[in-house]
Amino acid sequence: MEATQNPLRGVDFREPLHRQAEPAAGPVWIRQSDIAMAEKETPLKAVQVEGLVVMKIIKHCSQRFPTTATGALVGMDVNGTLEITNAFPLPIIEIPPEAHYEGQHINTAAAAPRAKANTGYQAEMIRMLREVNIDAQSVGWYTSANMGNFCNTNFIENQYYYQKDLNESTVALVHDVSRSSQGALSLRAFRLSPQFMAAYKENKFTTENLQKSNLRYQDILVELPVQIHNSHLLTTFLHQLPTPPPSTSLEEPTSVSSIETNPFLSSNPLHPNYETLSLNIDPFLSQTCDLLLDSIETHHTESNNFSYYSRALAREQNKIAQWQAKRKAENALRASTKQALLPEDEWQRLFKLPTEPNRLESMLNSRQVEQYSRQVDGFVAGTTGKMFAVRGNLLPGEGWVGIEETQESREQSCCEKWEEVCSARHFVDSDQTRGATF
Amino acid sequence: MAANEDTFLHLARPLGPAPVGTQPSTHPLTVIVQPQALLSVLDHSTRRPPDQTRVIGTLLGTRSDADDSTITIHSSFAVGHTETTDQVEVDMEYQKTMLDLHKKGNPKEVLVGWYATSSELNTFSALIQNFYGGQGDGTWPYPAVHMTVSTEAGKGVEVRTYISAPVGVTPERAADSAAFIPVPYEIRYGEADRSGLEMLAAAKDREDRTVATITDIESLEHALEDILGMLDRVGKYVEGVIEEEDDTLPNTSLGQYLLNALALAPKVDPADIEKDFNNHIQDVLAVSYLANTIRTQMDLSNRLATAPLTMGGPESTSLATKEEGGQQSQRGGGQRGGRGRGGQQREQRDQREPVSAI
């Protein structure tokens, strides 16, 4: 195990020295428990993802798109910051054909992180990684998402499995493939909240319990801020790649085609992504609407279940009341004739109250819808700004001085205005919801 | 020993003594390196044991279907090895197990070659190269790609790719000699990698080498700032030409290029713009409004279903009713839930129309 102590000793590309503070040698299980103990004192505050991990996740997720891809993360917990230093994909477990006949549609990829067969794979992989000095500690898993549709039972079960069994300090990274293709990288880290962990352990999501524990859908997941970190070597490498247009003057071009083919002008891979300026809004809107309709469907089913349950419950209780009244009358009769009384609590044997449906699904659904609406708000803010800019640009006759200035000032004012409007609406919404908690 | 970086002649490879019956391919070959593989190599280099100057690993990727002339390196993994002055030891068992594990996760990727984290090519390189290119576990009949990534402190990172041809010195030396032939390589990233690389690039100029993830509106802001900067620069140049300033030389082709770019601005009727603009903005706002309404509605309906029966009284009465017994409040909750659902249904009908209209 001397491997993990400090792989960089005697090397100039030194990482920050916190790794030296780790216990130098000894079997891994001791170190893990140490870290687990330390973790109890400092809960996770942030997640730091290595550039390599970002690229690996992107590669895996976009390869499998639109199906879900999952994988495991390894790294280290350093004073409340979870450093994720490597990742590997988990294979999709082929389910035996007879499982298909049971009518259970299991998304094999989504369930992979907690599948039995993969536990072995993961342990084996981590053992191999340790031999080449990679941080050999499982710190969570990642999954791909499509427009933020990750709040489902699979996600919860996977994360529960990780947080309960393996190690307290584990996170789930969610990479949203569709949103990343439209501009900024969407990589988010989530954990289950301690309250939810406790509730899920008991697995009692009945109305009564929810009232008691005061657990709300906002409390299921805790989001952690994500930072992206590069190694020194990678920084060196990035600085060598062709980057934004050089600020020094170039040679005079001799023809139009020489401008178009000039490597300095045409290839700048790491330049800001102008995809964000695209005005193509329809795919986003239609996808969001589809997803919202799905959510409504789920909500509808759940609330139907619940109202069915409450009707059944009312019916049963009615019957019980009738029975009790009858029994009481009978007993009164018996008392008057001096006969032995019949027991009055026999109804507990005779009638069976229906079991209440699990409220977890509807809670998750609420969380999901919240996710969608946040996403839409963000999208609206950007798009409206862009659209006002385009209008300002194409209709210059509205008293604007120059096109550039028009664009800039409009853009800024629009963005600001829309951020204000959106945040204002958030306030209104949260007021409404607060008003609903009688 | 390393090949000169600047230019080299890229030819069909010389034929080695091939066994009868098999004809190794002799096409010129190009290598495409994906950023993931390169990043993984760099990561391995920072994690090398302190007493080792270079580390090696396996490259995995795909070959182009048509003629095997393009090799795309998708990923890589590290392999332990020890090197002394007169012998080299590569953990072949490890390499085999890891390859199997990797194939489970990425069934499409095959072994294409190996990497080393120094530009040096020596006898050991030839030995390892012959192993990777050999029959059985190796890449035979395809050539094995050797990628060197120099990671010397204080110097730039240099990437080179080679394939090899056997050279016959003596039969005894055949195992540890090979002629490394440089081949051109290209770092190519996919559309999906863009956003990730952009983030990495954002961190490169910062001292702590970290950057937080940004929201959509922030990335829009960055892109706009960038474009405004470029517009400014072009504007200044054009101004300089018009004002006939000394330090700006007019250039016909630049002018033509700018004119072409300006011609791309569409000429549309203002009324049309106004109409399209209004339509689009209505779409966007409608979806946003609906999403938020649905959220509020669902929240409300769920809350009503789980809220204790209080008749809207203050907190004290709510506690009192709660104590009356779970059953009653449950029933009340159920009924209220039902009512909430009714509202939901109505609302659902309302919004189906605009949604389908979009």
Side-chain angles (χ1 to χ4, degrees), chain A residues 7-9 59 121 128 133 211 217 228 230 239-240 243 252 271 273-274 366 373 391 433 437, chain B residues 46-48 50 94 101 109 157 198 204-205 209-211 226 251 274 295 299 302-303 306 331:
Chain A
L8 308 163
R9 197 169 52 200
K59 175 196 162 218
Y121 179 82
M128 299 303 273
N133 297 345
Q211 278 170 17
Y217 69 87
I228 291 170
N230 292 341
H239 272 286
Q240 281 180 276
T243 32
E252 293 275 314
H271 210 241
N273 198 339
Y274 297 120
S366 304
S373 58
R391 193 179 69 152
T433 45
T437 44
Chain B
T46 57
R47 289 169 187 281
R48 65 177 181 255
Y94 181 89
L101 282 175
E109 291 173 10
V157 178
E198 199 188 310
K204 76 174 180 185
D205 291 329
R209 292 166 289 129
T210 48
V211 66
D226 217 65
N251 184 303
E274 199 67 35
R295 176 164 71 102
D299 197 21
N302 282 330
R303 289 264 178 116
T306 52
R331 201 180 341 159

Side-chain angles (χ1 to χ4, degrees), chain A residues 348-361:
Chain A
Q348 283 165 343
R349 266 193 309 116
L350 290 172
F351 298 96
K352 198 166 165 285
L353 288 174
T355 48
E356 187 176 351
N358 202 336
R359 308 285 309 172
L360 178 61
E361 191 64 34

Side-chain angles (χ1 to χ4, degrees), chain A residues 2-162:
Chain A
E2 66 288 341
T4 31
Q5 44 175 304
N6 181 13
L8 308 163
R9 197 169 52 200
V11 183
D12 281 333
F13 292 112
R14 253 171 212 280
E15 288 292 314
L17 298 177
H18 51 66
R19 292 201 198 283
Q20 285 183 330
E22 292 294 327
V28 180
W29 58 270
I30 290 182
R31 288 187 44 239
Q32 280 191 353
S33 61
D34 281 353
I35 290 166
M37 262 151 74
E39 203 278 329
K40 264 171 205 138
E41 291 152 26
T42 50
L44 286 183
K45 286 190 287 290
V47 176
Q48 183 177 307
V49 186
E50 205 65 37
L52 169 70
V53 180
V54 177
M55 296 313 290
K56 275 193 164 183
I57 292 177
I58 291 176
K59 175 196 162 218
H60 184 216
C61 292
S62 54
Q63 261 180 358
R64 292 264 175 85
F65 186 75
T67 52
T68 317
T70 48
L73 304 169
V74 292
M76 206 176 262
D77 176 16
V78 181
N79 302 331
T81 305
L82 194 68
E83 293 182 2
I84 300 171
T85 50
N86 215 323
F88 54 91
L90 288 170
I92 301 172
I93 301 296
E94 292 299 324
I95 41 171
E98 58 263 27
H100 288 294
Y101 298 118
E102 288 162 15
Q104 265 188 316
H105 284 284
I106 312 163
N107 188 341
T108 43
R114 61 176 193 283
K116 265 238 170 64
N118 269 335
T119 330
Y121 179 82
Q122 204 176 325
E124 176 83 10
M125 193 66 149
I126 288 176
R127 199 175 58 78
M128 299 303 273
L129 291 178
R130 183 188 303 149
E131 280 187 37
V132 286
N133 297 345
I134 292 169
D135 296 333
Q137 193 194 347
S138 167
V139 292
W141 60 291
Y142 66 83
T143 182
S144 65
N146 183 8
M147 304 300 281
N149 62 345
F150 59 87
C151 298
N152 48 33
T153 340
N154 261 324
F155 183 88
I156 298 290
E157 274 177 35
N158 283 338
Q159 181 59 19
Y160 178 74
Y161 168 77
Y162 268 87

Side-chain angles (χ1 to χ4, degrees), chain A residues 167-180:
Chain A
N167 185 346
E168 232 291 294
S169 53
T170 49
V171 290
L173 277 186
V174 179
H175 170 60
D176 202 315
V177 184
S178 329
R179 288 186 65 201
S180 297

Side-chain angles (χ1 to χ4, degrees), chain A residues 7-9 11-13 51-52 55 58-59 62 64 85 89 91 121 124-125 128 131-133 135 179-180 183-185 207-208 211 216-217 226-235 237-240 243 246 252-256 259 269-271 273-274 276-277 281 289 292 295-296 299-300 303-304 306-307 309-310 317 359 362 366 369-370 373 376-377 380-382 384 387-388 391 394-395 404 408 411 418-419 425 429 432-433 436-438, chain B residues 36 38-40 42-43 45-50 75 78 80 91 94 97-98 101 104-106 109 151 153 156-157 187 189 192-201 203-205 208-213 216-217 219-220 223-224 226-228 230-231 233 251 253-254 256-257 270 273-274 277 280-281 283-285 287-288 291-292 294-296 298-308 315 322 327 330-331 334 341 344-345 348 351-352 355:
Chain A
L8 308 163
R9 197 169 52 200
V11 183
D12 281 333
F13 292 112
L52 169 70
M55 296 313 290
I58 291 176
K59 175 196 162 218
S62 54
R64 292 264 175 85
T85 50
Y121 179 82
E124 176 83 10
M125 193 66 149
M128 299 303 273
E131 280 187 37
V132 286
N133 297 345
D135 296 333
R179 288 186 65 201
S180 297
L185 172 77
T207 314
E208 206 178 339
Q211 278 170 17
R216 293 173 309 156
Y217 69 87
V226 177
Q227 283 187 328
I228 291 170
H229 179 261
N230 292 341
S231 66
H232 281 294
L233 257 185
L234 183 57
T235 313
F237 182 67
L238 286 171
H239 272 286
Q240 281 180 276
T243 32
E252 293 275 314
T254 47
S255 67
V256 174
I259 297 177
L270 305 175
H271 210 241
N273 198 339
Y274 297 120
T276 41
L277 294 177
I281 54 170
C289 289
L292 278 171
S295 290
I296 292 175
H299 178 76
H300 199 59
S303 58
N304 265 349
F306 192 75
S307 66
Y309 156 76
S310 57
Q317 281 176 336
R359 308 285 309 172
S362 51
S366 304
V369 172
E370 193 206 8
S373 58
V376 170
D377 280 346
V380 166
T384 328
M387 290 200 328
F388 272 106
R391 193 179 69 152
L394 291 179
L395 295 177
E404 283 91 344
E408 185 183 18
E411 194 69 56
W418 270 97
E419 270 169 334
R425 198 169 42 227
D429 278 345
Q432 277 173 0
T433 45
T437 44
F438 293 95
Chain B
Q36 287 86 358
L38 209 51
L39 259 59
S40 184
L42 293 179
D43 181 70
S45 175
T46 57
R47 289 169 187 281
R48 65 177 181 255
S75 51
D91 193 344
Y94 181 89
T97 328
M98 197 65 183
L101 282 175
K104 274 188 203 160
N106 305 283
E109 291 173 10
T151 54
V157 178
I187 298 174
Y189 56 93
D193 300 332
R194 254 194 101 110
S195 52
L197 283 173
E198 199 188 310
M199 289 301 295
L200 298 192
K204 76 174 180 185
D205 291 329
D208 55 354
R209 292 166 289 129
T210 48
V211 66
T213 49
D216 285 352
I217 194 118
S219 83
L220 179 67
L224 282 175
D226 217 65
I227 286 205
L228 286 173
M230 289 198 279
L231 282 177
R233 197 170 159 194
N251 184 303
S253 40
L254 258 182
Q256 201 180 345
Y257 185 77
I273 297 172
E274 199 67 35
F277 173 78
H280 273 81
I281 208 127
D283 284 358
V284 174
L285 293 182
V287 174
S288 160
N292 281 300
I294 292 168
R295 176 164 71 102
T296 321
M298 279 191 188
D299 197 21
L300 202 59
S301 117
N302 282 330
R303 289 264 178 116
L304 287 172
T306 52
E315 206 60 19
K322 218 173 179 177
Q327 277 189 2
Q330 258 180 35
R331 201 180 341 159
R341 183 180 54 86
Q344 180 62 40
Q345 268 177 326
Q348 196 178 342
Q351 29 109 343
R352 267 189 200 268
V355 167

